[in-house]
Amino acid sequence: LGVDVVDLGVRTTADGALAVIHDGAVERTTDGRGRVEALTLAELQRLDAGHRFSADGGQTFPWRGRGLRVPTLSEVFERLPGARFIVEMKDESPVTVKSLCEAIKARGMGERVVVGSFRQWMLDEFRRACPNVATSASTLEASKFLALYRAGLAASYSPPMQALQVPENAGGMAVLTRGFVEAAHGRNLEVHAWTINDPADMRRLLDEGVDGIMTDYPDRLLALLGRK
């Protein structure tokens, strides 16, 4: 489609491989059972990764039996060498931090990746291991910046990250406002909104100055941008 960035999540298998898979368990998307961390890479890659996908509520499964399997991050980097990525560490494994840093360095992807996690300790460890790779804010860091912004103190914040990746609303409160975006830009932070699927919401956030939009429907955003 020509999207700017591919957003994916990684988890470590039982034998230490870095697999690209969102869920902690394989039942929702494959024909297998079990937790990713309990399966070896070989066991994980024997599963049909297209088994459950349906675009019509389960009437048809167009990718079932087509040989799709869960890839490693290195395989994705190799297949898409010119792409840019948001890589989220989905599990709670120190091995994931180490393996991700090594994979980025080995493929020379340091300038093409933003790394994120909801877990502060994982981001702290990754930043120590790979200080030259951009990261997004943890939940704690994003909440701290939001609180400082609302108190009129955003200019005092010294960000350890390069991007704020946040929802439009959280806890019944608006997060993404023009003022929030401007305050983030004042601290040299990009603002990426997730997960925005309605074109009207996309347009409003673009007008407010966000730098990126994460969406399940990139075709809608590309059409809005005149790039379809």
Side-chain angles (χ1 to χ4, degrees):
L1 289 175
V3 298
D4 299 303
V5 181
V6 179
D7 179 16
L8 52 83
V10 293
R11 295 177 178 274
T12 298
T13 64
D15 53 347
L18 200 60
V20 177
I21 183 168
H22 179 279
D23 294 6
V26 300
E27 285 84 349
R28 185 176 67 90
T29 55
T30 79
D31 57 347
R33 299 185 63 81
R35 302 282 303 176
V36 174
E37 69 266 22
L39 299 170
T40 65
L41 178 63
E43 290 170 332
L44 186 64
Q45 292 194 326
R46 280 198 290 269
L47 304 179
D48 182 353
H51 189 76
R52 304 281 182 192
F53 180 81
S54 177
D56 52 19
Q59 296 182 53
T60 62
F61 297 88
W63 295 104
R64 184 175 289 183
R66 300 279 293 274
L68 296 184
R69 60 182 175 81
V70 176
T72 65
L73 182 63
S74 292
E75 288 172 334
V76 173
F77 283 167
E78 183 176 355
R79 182 66 65 88
L80 302 171
R84 292 186 292 165
F85 297 92
I86 295 167
V87 181
E88 182 185 350
M89 298 180 286
K90 301 294 292 186
D91 57 13
E92 297 186 59
S93 169
V95 178
T96 298
V97 177
K98 181 175 181 292
S99 298
L100 177 55
C101 182
E102 290 175 350
I104 291 170
K105 288 179 177 178
R107 294 285 175 178
M109 298 294 289
E111 297 294 320
R112 309 188 71 82
V113 172
V114 175
V115 170
S117 175
F118 284 100
R119 295 165 183 84
Q120 186 67 53
W121 72 266
M122 294 189 77
L123 278 174
D124 290 341
E125 286 199 16
F126 181 85
R127 288 166 183 157
R128 284 192 290 269
C130 263
N132 296 323
V133 177
T135 59
S136 61
S138 67
T139 302
L140 180 63
E141 290 165 342
S143 298
K144 180 179 179 179
F145 181 81
L146 179 61
L148 287 171
Y149 160 67
R150 287 180 170 159
L153 300 172
S156 68
Y157 186 63
S158 297
M161 65 285 192
Q162 287 70 45
L164 286 158
Q165 296 176 338
V166 292
E168 186 173 9
N169 301 285
M173 296 184 295
V175 176
L176 286 176
T177 62
R178 188 181 300 275
F180 177 89
V181 174
E182 290 175 351
H185 288 169
R187 304 310 299 151
N188 201 30
L189 291 166
E190 287 197 3
V191 179
H192 305 157
W194 57 264
T195 300
I196 312 299
N197 291 331
D198 182 85
D201 294 334
M202 294 174 181
R203 169 52 63 194
R204 183 176 65 257
L205 290 170
L206 289 170
D207 289 343
E208 289 175 358
V210 300
D211 305 283
I213 290 177
M214 301 176 191
T215 178
D216 297 320
Y217 300 94
D219 55 326
R220 297 176 185 176
L221 181 53
L222 288 166
L224 187 66
L225 295 171
R227 289 169 47 191
K228 189 170 182 179

